[in-house]
Amino acid sequence: MTGVRLENISKQFKDSTALEDVSFAVKDGEFVVILGASGSGKSTILRIIAGLEVQTRGHVYIGDMLVDEYEPRDRNIAMVFQSYALYPHLRVYDNIAFALRVRKVPREDDPDRYRRRTREEIDDRVRRAADLLGIGDTLTKKPAELSGGQRQRVALARAIVRDPELFLLDEPLSNLDAKIRSSARLELKRIHEQLKQTFVFVTHDQSEAMTLADRLVVIDHGHLLQFDTPENVLSRPANQFVASFVGSPEMMFLEGRIRAANGGFAFELDPVRISVRGARAPGPVTVGFRPWDLTVAKTAGPGAFPAVVRGIERLGSSDLLFLELQGSGAPGAPAMSGVTVRAMSRAYEYEVGDSAGVTLAPDRALFFGADGDRLDELEGAPAGP
Amino acid sequence: MMPRRRARKWLRLGRRIASHAVLIVAVVFALFPVYFIVITSFSKIPIAAITAQVLVPKVSQLTLGSYQQALSGQYPAFTSLLENSLIFAGSAAAIGMGLAAFTGFALSKFNFPGRRSLVYFILIISLFPSFLLIIPYYFMFAKLGLIDTYPGLIIPYSAGAVVFAGILVKNYMDSIPDDIEEAALMDGLSRTGAFFRVLLPLCYPVLGLAAFLAFVGPYTDYALAHVFITSSAKETLALNLYNIATTDTGASNYGVVTAFAIVMSLPIVVFYMAFQRYIIGGLTLGAVRG
Ligand SMILES: Nc1ncnc2c1ncn2[C@@H]1O[C@H](COP(=O)(O)OP(=O)(O)OP(=O)(O)O)[C@@H](O)[C@H]1O
Ligand SMILES: [Mg+2]
């Protein structure tokens, strides 16, 4: 049971850069999820931790041990592959028992010498792992005879049976259909709580990441964008990419400008004006917000965008309004006409075609500079611990 | 409505009859020589059945005499011939298959410079008629004192087997996803360990096929054996079959020749049946992905 630390890891393939200066540290017993789009380098990170791939630059530590030169088998890591990679020629029992038969354990009388595990020890562990995952009745089958969900459990059982330092899981739930997927998620969380071991879990599914993670690594095109708790990634995304990638319903963005005002800086998108912490210079800026950050009123008061209701989606508890902004028509104001925003509101008060006023809650809006980074982040602490 | 449906039914039946007819003709075509050899071997008249124009012999016309003669009337003894053939073919199959397993592993799972060219090179060698190698082999092995020895034939037979079997194994290993090997590395094996404990067992089907092919070639070889074997103590079944087919008198005993050929083919049939279970009873790689 130990943590793992990546220090300035870069990985260059023949004709592409998969990772660029990635650093993060996973604490002992933590469940860290690596979230990124396809091809962003998630699997490459896991494979470098596992020793299956050698980094071009940087160092990997497991616990306090520098393991750059270690073979995969000397790192004592269990990995669940995206494809499960079960041994097709072995029965489920032998798949799970495989590592136990291969790896030796220190002798009780002389810890410097090693011995093979006995048949009873192996049997005991295999059955306990199988019970934990509810696959006790498949032990005599070959992998080809199992359903996708069962294979995924076997792959997990094969990992947990070993008592490794660290678990690496590469999208283990992605081959499951939606129904068993959410229950498999809960089960995985339960197993983590039971084992209290360190998990590094890869996914491209942001809701999966949010439910599972103690902390979240967001990567894109080989760059680590943010390493923080799911709550912070949601409410304080490091940049516009993270903001658009996580959270549901999706964040909306409007382009505006920052101008000097009252000794500080304020965001202006006629007729809205919000003072912005963390801004250092005037210039173009993007404001991001989610549907529930907007308030809709029958009339456009001061500071509200005039808008027309273009569509209503009834979701039950709260409904989604599609509002087309009208722009104020004031000289010099950005042309907002035609931009449609979504807002949470009580839809029964409105009909398509009604005019309305939309107000953006100033404390909820997020501002992103021209480079995409969030503006308060410039002053505040850098992302991560 | 009705008539059209009926017409379609007839059409389907007609197609089925036609396809079966074609298949039956093909089977008869393929099996007739075998049948012809079998009835000749059991025939009392020691001439080819076709000359006697007896295609369906009566029971009274059958005898086991040719078999008796084939098994006991020969010099060298049938058992000695069989032993030699099994030594040559068995060794070639074992050595060829063993080396092919490593060759396939290296060509499929290791990245080294020149790998692609090496694969093409081996493919080209395998297209090279082995017949052309007999003369250089002869001079080389004469120098090495390997003429009329067991190694003298086992080496070229095995070498020939490695070439095609290596490619066969490589292609098969290419179909085994890398992450199965990687799973074995994570489970605590070295690459060598992963090869022996995971990849090799997964390759049993193709190795069975490779062994079978590596066995049949030398077992039925005449050309190379004819040049390399000079003493009757090392004579093989294939060599002897040719010898009894061309007796000095010119009057071949077709009954004995065919009986000999049938007995000689039995080990191949047995070998095939033994491995067929492996190949078909198949280890499916479908287990890998959901
Ligand atoms: N062995 C390799 N050789 C060359 N390029 C590679 C190799 N492995 C990965 N890459 C490249 O590195 C980048 C990251 O790949 P990686 O497999 O880590 O992505 P991923 O985030 O796991 O994607 P996915 O969600 O599709 O699994 C990709 O652009 C990929 O093409
Ligand atoms: Mg991946």
Side-chain angles (χ1 to χ4, degrees):
Chain A
M1 216 162 83
T2 38
V4 60
R5 184 153 53 91
L6 270 66
E7 224 178 66
N8 309 105
I9 292 288
S10 295
K11 175 69 189 179
Q12 201 89 38
F13 287 110
K14 233 182 296 162
D15 42 8
S16 65
T17 303
L19 295 175
E20 187 72 56
D21 201 24
V22 170
S23 305
F24 63 92
V26 180
K27 285 185 260 178
D28 190 358
E30 201 175 15
F31 197 124
V32 163
V33 175
I34 301 177
L35 175 66
S38 184
S40 54
K42 307 182 295 293
S43 297
T44 307
I45 293 182
L46 282 202
R47 294 169 56 79
I48 286 173
I49 297 175
L52 295 171
E53 205 85 69
V54 179
Q55 66 271 30
T56 317
R57 277 185 303 282
H59 304 290
V60 179
Y61 296 85
I62 294 175
D64 294 324
M65 192 115 73
L66 178 68
V67 296
D68 291 348
E69 306 291 326
Y70 283 37
E71 293 287 317
R73 63 173 162 157
D74 299 323
R75 301 192 183 195
N76 196 19
I77 292 173
M79 183 154 171
V80 177
F81 288 80
Q82 196 163 358
S83 60
Y84 307 146
L86 303 178
Y87 307 122
H89 61 303
L90 298 180
R91 295 174 311 149
V92 168
Y93 185 98
D94 300 308
N95 260 284
I96 301 174
F98 194 88
L100 299 178
R101 292 185 178 136
V102 168
R103 285 180 188 273
K104 294 183 177 175
V105 288
R107 286 168 58 136
E108 285 76 6
D109 52 340
D110 181 359
D112 288 338
R113 284 165 53 207
Y114 287 80
R115 64 169 178 83
R116 292 204 176 279
R117 285 193 171 90
T118 65
R119 191 180 292 264
E120 292 71 34
E121 282 174 289
I122 291 174
D123 191 64
D124 183 50
R125 278 172 161 266
V126 170
R127 287 185 195 284
R128 262 191 294 151
D131 284 344
L132 186 65
L133 287 157
I135 45 170
D137 51 344
T138 64
L139 289 176
T140 56
K141 291 185 178 163
K142 290 271 179 72
E145 301 164 51
L146 303 180
S147 72
Q150 287 171 324
R151 283 179 205 171
Q152 182 250 340
R153 281 151 196 267
V154 175
L156 273 176
R158 195 168 66 164
I160 65 172
V161 77
R162 267 177 49 189
D163 244 342
E165 303 267 352
L166 179 66
F167 284 96
L168 305 178
L169 302 101
D170 194 348
E171 309 205 26
L173 309 182
S174 67
N175 286 340
L176 303 180
D177 57 51
K179 221 187 209 163
I180 42 179
R181 207 160 151 172
S182 56
S183 66
R185 234 180 253 175
L186 293 177
E187 194 166 65
L188 198 62
K189 196 77 183 155
R190 174 177 65 86
I191 288 169
H192 174 247
E193 267 147 30
Q194 213 159 334
L195 299 176
K196 299 189 173 55
Q197 271 171 319
T198 315
F199 277 57
V200 181
F201 179 102
V202 158
T203 183
H204 62 258
D205 178 334
Q206 56 105 2
S207 67
E208 191 165 287
M210 292 293 163
T211 37
L212 285 173
D214 291 334
R215 281 193 297 166
L216 199 55
V217 174
V218 186
I219 71 164
D220 181 48
H221 289 97
H223 293 269
L224 187 149
L225 301 181
Q226 191 163 11
F227 179 39
D228 211 332
T229 60
E231 297 72 33
N232 281 347
V233 170
L234 261 184
S235 61
R236 301 167 53 80
N239 58 37
Q240 197 178 336
F241 178 86
V242 176
S244 64
F245 196 65
V246 300
S248 159
E250 248 175 75
M251 190 168 278
M252 292 165 287
F253 298 98
L254 290 176
E255 311 284 335
R257 284 197 75 78
I258 287 184
R259 291 182 210 282
N262 321 332
F265 290 97
F267 168 73
E268 278 192 0
L269 180 58
D270 187 60
V272 176
R273 169 185 286 247
I274 304 170
S275 72
V276 180
R277 286 179 302 132
R280 277 190 293 205
V285 76
T286 305
V287 60
F289 50 90
R290 295 186 198 275
W292 52 70
D293 300 330
L294 296 176
T295 326
V296 186
K298 287 272 185 191
T299 52
F305 294 108
V308 174
V309 177
R310 288 297 180 212
I312 297 173
E313 194 175 312
R314 295 179 200 283
L315 301 173
S317 56
S318 60
D319 303 310
L320 213 48
L321 291 178
F322 292 83
L323 298 147
E324 189 182 314
L325 304 184
Q326 299 298 298
S328 64
M336 294 309 303
S337 288
V339 175
T340 302
V341 298
R342 289 156 296 147
M344 296 284 199
S345 189
R346 289 176 305 256
Y348 57 81
E349 293 176 2
Y350 297 92
E351 278 184 44
V352 173
D354 283 359
S355 54
V358 183
T359 321
L360 173 59
D363 53 331
R364 305 297 294 272
L366 299 171
F367 297 97
F368 303 97
D371 58 357
D373 284 346
R374 191 159 61 85
L375 289 179
D376 332 6
E377 225 43 75
L378 293 173
E379 300 186 316
Chain B
M1 198 64 199
M2 258 331 256
R4 197 190 290 172
R5 195 184 294 170
R6 204 174 293 161
R8 214 180 297 154
K9 199 166 145 193
W10 280 112
L11 193 70
R12 208 180 310 146
L13 188 67
R15 267 204 214 124
R16 191 173 288 182
I17 290 172
S19 70
H20 276 69
V22 170
L23 287 176
I24 288 166
V25 169
V27 167
V28 168
F29 200 72
L31 283 186
F32 182 74
V34 178
Y35 172 74
F36 176 64
I37 288 171
V38 171
I39 57 168
T40 306
S41 73
F42 285 110
S43 172
K44 267 183 183 159
I45 315 153
I47 52 170
I50 197 76
T51 347
Q53 295 190 338
V54 189
L55 276 185
V56 187
K58 296 193 189 74
V59 177
S60 60
Q61 291 171 323
L62 298 181
T63 173
L64 284 173
S66 299
Y67 283 88
Q68 227 161 14
Q69 221 177 318
L71 291 176
S72 62
Q74 300 302 316
Y75 174 80
F78 186 86
T79 49
S80 154
L81 297 171
L82 181 65
E83 192 186 319
N84 286 336
S85 280
L86 290 180
I87 289 174
F88 285 125
S91 312
I95 296 173
M97 185 180 69
L99 292 179
F102 288 103
T103 310
F105 180 44
L107 291 179
S108 171
K109 299 289 181 201
F110 279 83
N111 271 317
F112 53 88
R115 180 174 75 161
R116 274 173 77 93
S117 344
L118 189 59
V119 171
Y120 285 121
F121 180 65
I122 293 176
L123 271 173
I124 290 167
I125 295 183
S126 71
L127 298 176
F128 213 69
S130 56
F131 212 72
L132 293 179
L133 295 174
I134 291 178
I135 292 168
Y137 265 146
Y138 186 83
F139 286 117
M140 209 157 70
F141 283 28
K143 272 244 163 65
L144 296 169
L146 288 175
I147 299 298
D148 202 36
T149 62
Y150 285 115
L153 265 183
I154 291 172
I155 291 171
Y157 284 156
S158 311
V162 173
V163 171
F164 72 83
I167 295 288
L168 214 59
V169 175
K170 177 211 176 276
N171 287 340
Y172 194 85
M173 279 206 187
D174 284 348
S175 75
I176 301 175
D178 287 347
D179 51 19
I180 292 203
E181 188 190 350
E182 287 167 357
L185 299 182
M186 300 304 298
D187 271 348
L189 290 172
S190 61
R191 280 206 89 174
T192 321
F195 170 68
F196 281 111
R197 306 240 337 227
V198 174
L199 285 177
L200 202 59
L202 284 174
C203 284
Y204 283 165
V206 74
L207 290 175
L209 178 64
F212 177 69
L213 297 175
F215 180 86
V216 172
Y219 189 79
T220 56
D221 169 68
Y222 174 75
L224 203 58
H226 177 65
V227 176
F228 276 43
I229 290 175
T230 50
S231 73
S232 54
K234 301 225 165 46
E235 210 172 301
T236 64
L237 289 169
L239 278 181
N240 198 258
L241 178 62
Y242 179 79
N243 291 344
I244 56 172
T246 56
T247 47
D248 294 343
T249 60
S252 296
N253 185 329
Y254 286 107
V256 177
V257 173
T258 50
F260 191 93
I262 285 169
V263 176
M264 178 179 163
S265 66
L266 286 181
I268 297 183
V269 174
V270 170
F271 198 144
Y272 179 75
M273 297 212 305
F275 278 104
Q276 190 193 31
R277 274 228 307 275
Y278 240 119
I279 293 161
I280 294 170
L283 302 153
T284 33
L285 285 169
V288 179
R289 204 163 255 274

